[in-house]
Amino acid sequence: MFKPARRRTKAPAARPPVRLRPLSGAVIDAVLRYSDVQQDLGGGRTLMRISDARLHEAEVRDSLGDTAARAATVSILWNEREGQIIQVLDSARRLAA
């Protein structure tokens, strides 16, 4: 029985993984300092981030410089009772994957 030869199609080239720099302490500090969006999650936990409007203010823009775009992707889960960071959430990592 005759079978026609299979045509080989080229697989699309895989995109190289995006390499993001690790978050700097300055970006995390800026999110803590300038956050204007705070969502109470209960149990003494608050989710903090910087709004787009706040990122465009001169004080924030001057402080962050070229890291402002990265700071826009960062949220911090804060423990009010202990006064410390529970977790740093970076959506830039998720978007780059």
Side-chain angles (χ1 to χ4, degrees), residues 58-78:
E59 175 188 13
V60 178
R61 193 175 54 242
D62 292 344
S63 175
L64 288 170
D66 62 346
T67 61
R70 186 70 186 272
T73 67
V74 175
S75 298
I76 295 177
L77 187 56
W78 180 258

Side-chain angles (χ1 to χ4, degrees), residues 70-92:
R70 186 70 186 272
T73 67
V74 175
S75 298
I76 295 177
L77 187 56
W78 180 258
N79 184 330
E80 292 290 337
R81 294 179 186 152
E82 301 293 326
Q84 65 186 14
I85 295 172
I86 297 172
Q87 186 174 8
V88 176
L89 307 164
D90 184 7
S91 64

Side-chain angles (χ1 to χ4, degrees), residues 2-54:
F2 173 76
K3 289 186 181 179
R6 286 183 145 185
R7 287 188 178 166
R8 293 186 183 224
T9 58
K10 290 185 179 181
R15 269 195 286 169
V18 176
R19 304 260 186 233
L20 290 175
R21 291 183 178 170
L23 272 175
S24 68
V27 171
I28 294 170
D29 181 56
V31 173
L32 288 172
R33 182 179 304 148
Y34 300 118
S35 66
D36 61 333
V37 178
Q38 299 183 355
Q39 183 179 359
D40 183 9
L41 300 178
R45 296 169 305 167
T46 304
L47 187 66
M48 306 166 69
R49 69 177 185 83
I50 303 174
S51 69
D52 290 335
R54 182 87 164 122

